[in-house]
Amino acid sequence: MPTFEVRKTDLAARLGYLKTKSGVVETPAVLPVIHPFNQIVKPIEMERMGYNALMTNSYLILKKSKAIGRTFEVHDLLNYKKTVMTDSGAYQLLEYGEVDTTPEEIINFETNIGSDIGVILDTPTGLTRNKKRAEETVSKTIDAAIRSIPLFKDKNILWTGPIQGGVFYDLIEKSAKEMSKLNFDVYALGSPTQVMEQYDLEQLLYMILAAKRNLPLDKPLHLFGAGHPLTLPIAVALGCDLFDSASYILYAKRGAYMTESGTKYLDDLKYLTCECEVCSKYFVGELKNSKDRVRLLALHNLHVLSREIKSIKQAIYEGRLWEYVAAKSRAHPRAWTAFKHFSKIKEYLGEGTPLFKSCGLYLCSTPDEHRPEVENAYKRLIRNIKINKKSLVVYFSKTNDHTFLYNLRNTFEKEVGMNSEEIQFCVAPLPIAIAPIEVCDIYPFSQYDISLPLDKEMEKMSIRKFKQFLSKYKFKKVLLIDHSNDKYKQIINWFTKEKTIQAKKVVTDRQTERILKEFTSL
C-alpha cells in the first residue's frame, strides 16, 4: 500500500494522505518546529489546534543524550503520540559551519528514538552565490544519501531525501534527478529560508519548479523552513505538500503578529483583528504588557498558520486555488510578482488542473487569461473542432446566458431553411475563446464570470484568439451581434477594421427578425 495517496488536485497542488506509523497526515500540512527541551508551546496544545504532525531536531536530542548518558523516545520526550518528523542537524551545519556527528550516526539515532519521518544529514547550500561551493553541497548531500540508505532497516520510518542547489536551478535539477534514483519516501527542497526572508518569492518559484519537474509524482515534496501566510499558498500551488517552520515562535519573540496577509508588530497595532482564543481575550495593550506575551503571540501565530493551511485545502477542494492565490498575492508586491509568473508555467500548472470543475471560472484581470482552464479549453477547441461553413454569426454578451443565441438559431432555421446549415453560430466568452454553439454549454464556455471591460492584456489576448479563429476557418460572411453594452468595445473596433473578411457587419439590435434581415443583406 502506498504511503502517499493523492485525493484531489488543482494547479500543481494535491490534497492527499501521508501514512506514517503514528497516524495519517493530510496534506498540504504545516509541521510546527519545536525545541525538544524548551517548549514554550506544548505539543499537546498544538494537537488541540489541529496539528497532526510536528518537527523537532534529532541532533539536539543526540547532543543531550551524549551529555547525560540517557536515551530518549521522541514521542515520550515530547508527550505527543502523533507524527513526529526529525531534522538531522543540517540547520546547525548551515548556521555554525559544522556538527559533531556523521550521516550514519544520525540515521541510527533517528531510528532508535522512534522518528516517524527522518531526514538524512544533508549539507545545506544556503544563499551562497559561489557556484563551486553550491556544487560541493549537492555532492556532499548525495554522498550522505548513498551512505545512509543501507541503514534504513526500520521499514516503518519514512525517510526524506533533501534537494540542494540553492539559487542555482541547474544544480537543483541535478540534485533532484540524483536523489530521485535513491527512492526516498519523501523529498525536501533545502535552503529556501534565506530566499523567503527576503520575500524573493519569484526566485522561490523557480527553485520549486527545478525540483518538482525532476522528482517522482507519487512522492510528497517538503519545503524546509516555510511558515508564512503569503508563502504557503504560492508554494502549495506549485506542488509543495509539507512545510516546517519555527516562524510562529521566532516572530513572537520579536513581537511580530501574523495576519492572513503578512506580519505586523504589536507596537504598530491598534486592534487585534483575529478571533482566535488569544485575540478574543486580550486588547493590544494587555497583550503587549503581558508576562506571557511571547507564548500568547506564538499561540496566535499558530492559529493563523492553521487557518491558512485549512483555507488552502478548501480552495483546492472547491477548485478555486487560482482565485485564492491571486487574492492572497495582492497583499504584497513580491507575492504578486511571483503570481504573475504563473502565466509562464501554465502547462506545468495545467497538468494537475481538472479539465472540468463544479465551479465556474472567475476572470478578473491579468494574468487570469493564462489560467490552465482557459488554456486547456482553448487548445481543445482549436485542435478538435472542425468547421466547414461559409458564414459566422458570433454573439458578444456581458453574461454567460446563451439563450438568445439558441433562439436566434431557431429563427434562422425556420426562415432560411437549408441555407442555415451553412451558418456557424458561436458565443464569444473572451478571453476564453470563440466557442461554437454546439459546445457552448460545455465547461467552461458557460461556466464563468468575467470582469468587463477587459484590461489591456486581456484585450490583446482576446483579439489574438479572435483573429486566429477567423484565420483558421476562413468565413466569407461574419455577423457580429454586440449585446455587451460596449464592454468589448476595443475588440469589436478591431473587428470592424479587419480587412480579410469579404462581408461583415456589427449589429446591436435585440429583435431576431431585424438581425436576420441584417444577415441576409450581407
Side-chain angles (χ1 to χ4, degrees), residues 416-465:
V416 181
M418 292 296 293
N419 289 332
S420 66
E421 296 180 2
E422 293 298 318
I423 306 169
Q424 178 63 55
F425 294 84
C426 290
V427 295
L430 293 170
I432 302 174
I434 303 293
I437 194 171
E438 292 82 0
V439 299
C440 72
D441 288 325
I442 296 175
Y443 185 89
F445 303 120
S446 63
Q447 298 81 16
Y448 64 84
D449 205 340
I450 301 173
S451 175
L452 297 172
L454 303 177
D455 65 27
K456 294 298 182 183
E457 290 302 315
M458 281 192 169
E459 282 180 353
K460 291 179 182 177
M461 174 66 77
S462 299
I463 289 172
R464 283 199 296 270
K465 289 182 175 179

Side-chain angles (χ1 to χ4, degrees), residues 8-14 346-355 357 372 376:
K8 199 172 185 69
T9 64
D10 197 18
L11 304 181
R14 290 100 66 92
K346 50 199 173 189
E347 291 185 2
Y348 168 77
L349 296 175
E351 292 173 3
T353 302
L355 292 179
K357 291 184 174 182
N376 289 337

Side-chain angles (χ1 to χ4, degrees), residues 329-348:
S329 297
R330 284 288 191 182
H332 195 284
R334 293 188 183 179
W336 184 250
T337 295
F339 178 64
K340 288 194 294 184
H341 280 259
F342 277 28
S343 64
K344 298 180 180 179
I345 56 170
K346 50 199 173 189
E347 291 185 2
Y348 168 77

Side-chain angles (χ1 to χ4, degrees), residues 289-303:
N289 296 322
S290 173
K291 294 179 181 179
D292 291 329
R293 186 184 75 168
V294 171
R295 171 180 156 75
L296 293 171
L297 266 178
L299 286 168
H300 159 78
N301 290 341
L302 281 167
H303 170 80

Side-chain angles (χ1 to χ4, degrees), residues 160-231:
T160 304
I163 310 301
Q164 296 298 340
V167 298
F168 299 101
Y169 308 137
D170 59 331
L171 295 184
I172 295 175
E173 291 174 358
K174 175 185 176 182
S175 180
K177 288 176 181 177
E178 293 301 316
M179 294 296 282
S180 65
K181 296 175 183 177
L182 302 178
N183 197 29
F184 283 91
D185 302 295
V186 179
Y187 292 92
L189 179 58
S191 303
T193 304
Q194 292 165 305
V195 172
M196 291 184 288
E197 286 174 349
Q198 297 180 1
Y199 273 63
D200 194 349
L201 300 181
E202 177 186 342
Q203 186 156 76
L204 178 66
L205 179 150
Y206 288 106
M207 290 172 66
I208 294 171
L209 284 179
K212 279 288 294 185
R213 284 171 164 161
N214 295 283
L215 290 172
L217 292 175
D218 61 341
K219 301 294 177 67
L221 177 63
H222 186 113
L223 184 63
F224 279 135
H228 190 282
L230 290 186
T231 304

Side-chain angles (χ1 to χ4, degrees), residues 226-491:
H228 190 282
L230 290 186
T231 304
L232 292 172
I234 292 173
V236 170
L238 294 171
C240 296
D241 306 288
L242 297 168
F243 307 87
D244 72 275
S245 181
S247 61
Y248 71 97
I249 189 67
L250 297 176
Y251 287 7
K253 287 180 178 179
R254 61 178 190 248
Y257 176 93
M258 282 189 184
T259 72
E260 63 182 15
S261 59
T263 54
K264 301 178 184 294
Y265 285 98
L266 270 182
D267 290 341
D268 299 328
L269 292 178
K270 176 68 175 176
Y271 305 98
L272 300 178
T273 57
C274 173
E275 295 298 327
C276 72
E277 186 176 350
V278 173
C279 297
S280 298
K281 290 182 179 179
Y282 292 86
F283 292 107
V284 173
E286 294 173 330
L287 184 56
K288 285 169 62 176
N289 296 322
S290 173
K291 294 179 181 179
D292 291 329
R293 186 184 75 168
V294 171
R295 171 180 156 75
L296 293 171
L297 266 178
L299 286 168
H300 159 78
N301 290 341
L302 281 167
H303 170 80
V304 173
L305 290 175
S306 175
R307 183 177 60 190
E308 182 60 40
I309 209 71
K310 289 174 184 174
S311 296
I312 293 170
K313 289 178 182 178
Q314 183 64 26
I316 299 170
Y317 178 77
E318 293 176 356
R320 292 211 175 277
L321 187 58
W322 178 282
E323 288 92 339
Y324 186 78
V325 177
K328 294 286 293 189
S329 297
R330 284 288 191 182
H332 195 284
R334 293 188 183 179
W336 184 250
T337 295
F339 178 64
K340 288 194 294 184
H341 280 259
F342 277 28
S343 64
K344 298 180 180 179
I345 56 170
K346 50 199 173 189
E347 291 185 2
Y348 168 77
L349 296 175
E351 292 173 3
T353 302
L355 292 179
F356 303 97
K357 291 184 174 182
S358 60
C359 61
L361 297 184
Y362 290 163
L363 302 175
C364 298
S365 65
T366 300
D368 288 349
E369 71 272 26
H370 295 292
R371 60 182 298 166
E373 300 94 332
V374 173
E375 288 290 320
N376 289 337
Y378 181 67
K379 287 180 179 178
R380 293 200 314 273
L381 263 185
I382 292 298
R383 184 172 60 246
N384 298 320
I385 297 296
K386 295 181 180 180
I387 300 174
N388 296 306
K389 299 184 179 182
K390 298 178 180 179
S391 303
L392 170 67
V393 174
V394 58
Y395 179 55
F396 281 74
S397 172
K398 62 180 181 179
T399 74
N400 58 11
D401 185 354
H402 305 145
T403 304
F404 180 86
L405 189 63
Y406 281 116
N407 292 335
L408 181 66
R409 184 178 65 170
N410 291 338
T411 299
F412 269 60
E413 289 175 348
K414 291 177 183 179
E415 299 298 329
V416 181
M418 292 296 293
N419 289 332
S420 66
E421 296 180 2
E422 293 298 318
I423 306 169
Q424 178 63 55
F425 294 84
C426 290
V427 295
L430 293 170
I432 302 174
I434 303 293
I437 194 171
E438 292 82 0
V439 299
C440 72
D441 288 325
I442 296 175
Y443 185 89
F445 303 120
S446 63
Q447 298 81 16
Y448 64 84
D449 205 340
I450 301 173
S451 175
L452 297 172
L454 303 177
D455 65 27
K456 294 298 182 183
E457 290 302 315
M458 281 192 169
E459 282 180 353
K460 291 179 182 177
M461 174 66 77
S462 299
I463 289 172
R464 283 199 296 270
K465 289 182 175 179
F466 196 4
K467 186 175 183 179
Q468 184 177 4
F469 183 83
L470 295 175
S471 175
K472 180 174 182 178
Y473 298 114
K474 304 185 185 315
F475 301 103
K476 294 182 178 179
K477 296 198 302 184
V478 178
L479 181 69
L480 190 155
I481 304 168
D482 179 18
H483 289 177
S484 71
N485 293 343
D486 278 344
K487 298 297 184 181
Y488 284 106
K489 183 177 181 179
Q490 297 304 319
I491 298 169

